[in-house]
Amino acid sequence: MSDTKEPLFNRIALIGIGLIGSSLARATKQRGLAGEIVACARSKATRDIVMELGIVDAVYETPVEAVQDADLIILCTPVSTYADLAQAMSPALKPGTIVSDVGSVKESVIRDVGPHLPDGVHFVPGHPIAGTEHSGPEAGFAELFDGRWCILTPPVGTNAAALAKITTYWEALGSMVEIMTPHHHDKVLAITSHLPHLIAYTIVGTATDLEESQQADVVKFSAGGFRDFTRIAASDPIMWRDVFLNNREAVLEMLQRFSEDLSVLQRAVRWGEGDILEDRFRKTRDIRRGIVDAHQAGTFDAREPDNDGN
Ligand SMILES: NC(=O)c1ccc[n+]([C@@H]2O[C@H](COP(=O)([O-])OP(=O)(O)OC[C@H]3O[C@@H](n4cnc5c(N)ncnc54)[C@H](O)[C@@H]3O)[C@@H](O)[C@H]2O)c1
Ligand SMILES: O=C(O)C(=O)C[C@]1(C(=O)O)C=C[C@@H](O)C=C1
């Protein structure tokens, strides 16, 4: 009798094969989680690259071809494409198929995808809290999800077996799974991910609007904090446009609070109120230390948040 383990899924279809899709393809293949991995990419150039990279078994031009006979479909494109993709692939979906995604916002995804799925198809939205500023199929790597959180936001009434299977899949990719409501997800991510990106895009934009003489020195001396902002501000413009268009309420709420807090610091700088500045900076340093401690205890994130040794 053979002791070869059955893969978790017979056929996984990845709709969109950029940073996240190609990382999923690589990790799924490396860990033997699917009998077959197929993808959908619109351009021939991308399809050629993906086949050359050898990360999938087949790649199709249209979603309806790609999802044929798949038992797991994962949307890995910018979130504004989800409604059209769900509509396009729905005629090929069979009862029992699981549809998931990796989108950075969740309430809009449920709104956009859910109505297009036929009865009996299980929808389990997800979001790996892992990424880089790079995009495209060459940017992916198999270890991306290792030791990172993956948040699942199953709608009320989600099939328990489908939820358990997606949980097992992400855990097999090395992630830690947390389940929450899409509303809670969007609020938390608005402050931990979306606002930081908005601030990075702003500060780098502000620096590039300076007079020419100052601009040259911005580039020359951007070795510290500013350089970190430029990394984040290099993230994909389409993906991030879609995040802000689809998490408007939560981002605006966090932005309002942020602006108020910034005004307090602005006032302290103006009036030389050192105690206010010091108090705030001490509190934030404690928060950072708490995050690192939780990380080292294995309760926050199994990977170093950064490599600065703090
Ligand atoms: N980059 C990150 O850090 C990160 C992290 C977690 C989740 N996400 C989410 O993952 C998703 C994909 O992001 P990414 O970083 O992999 O982006 P990416 O730009 O690297 O890849 C997206 C791919 O989708 C393709 N695409 C766009 N529209 C398509 C369509 N209609 N049909 C088929 N393919 C299409 C693009 O050509 C591109 O190859 C987004 O929804 C994003 O919110 C990104
Ligand atoms: O590390 C990065 O470059 C990221 O921006 C990753 C990051 C994040 O903000 O943490 C970006 C978007 C996601 O939806 C999830 C993860």
Side-chain angles (χ1 to χ4, degrees), residues 14-23 40-43 46 60-63 75-82 84-85 101-106 109 126-137 139-140 144-145 193-194 197 235-236 238-240 242-243:
L14 301 165
I15 310 302
I17 183 99
L19 170 72
I20 302 295
S22 75
S23 296
C40 163
R42 293 165 303 173
S43 79
T46 306
Y60 299 93
E61 186 177 355
T62 64
L75 299 173
C76 303
T77 54
V79 292
S80 68
T81 63
Y82 280 15
D84 287 349
L85 287 171
D101 79 300
V102 293
S104 305
V105 291
K106 298 271 61 90
V109 164
H127 179 202
I129 312 302
T132 73
E133 70 279 25
H134 303 297
S135 29
L144 179 63
F145 310 109
S193 174
H194 305 170
H197 278 79
S235 301
D236 189 67
I238 306 278
M239 168 193 155
W240 283 99
D242 286 3
V243 167

Side-chain angles (χ1 to χ4, degrees), residues 135-271:
S135 29
E138 295 103 328
F141 53 101
E143 300 73 26
L144 179 63
F145 310 109
D146 229 342
R148 307 305 294 258
W149 288 107
C150 179
I151 299 174
L152 300 179
T153 60
V156 176
T158 296
N159 178 277
L163 177 59
K165 211 164 171 189
I166 292 295
T167 302
T168 304
Y169 175 62
W170 281 103
E171 287 175 350
L173 295 174
S175 296
M176 301 155 303
V177 172
E178 181 97 3
I179 292 171
M180 59 178 72
T181 66
H183 186 72
H184 185 65
H185 167 281
D186 287 359
K187 282 222 167 180
V188 171
L189 270 290
I191 187 67
T192 59
S193 174
H194 305 170
L195 197 55
H197 278 79
L198 198 64
I199 292 166
Y201 283 124
T202 310
I203 196 168
V204 175
T206 305
T208 39
D209 283 345
L210 297 173
E211 319 61 283
E212 250 171 60
S213 61
Q214 284 173 323
Q215 253 193 52
D217 280 346
V218 166
V219 174
K220 188 167 163 189
F221 297 113
S222 66
F226 185 70
R227 197 185 170 92
D228 294 343
F229 280 117
T230 61
R231 183 190 79 76
I232 296 177
S235 301
D236 189 67
I238 306 278
M239 168 193 155
W240 283 99
R241 176 202 66 191
D242 286 3
V243 167
F244 292 113
L245 293 178
N246 285 283
N247 197 19
R248 198 168 53 174
E249 302 286 307
V251 169
L252 288 177
E253 184 190 325
M254 296 305 165
L255 192 55
Q256 175 67 30
R257 295 173 73 137
F258 174 81
S259 304
E260 286 166 16
D261 291 343
L262 188 62
S263 297
V264 170
L265 294 187
Q266 185 180 14
R267 195 189 145 82
V269 170
R270 181 184 304 283
W271 297 109

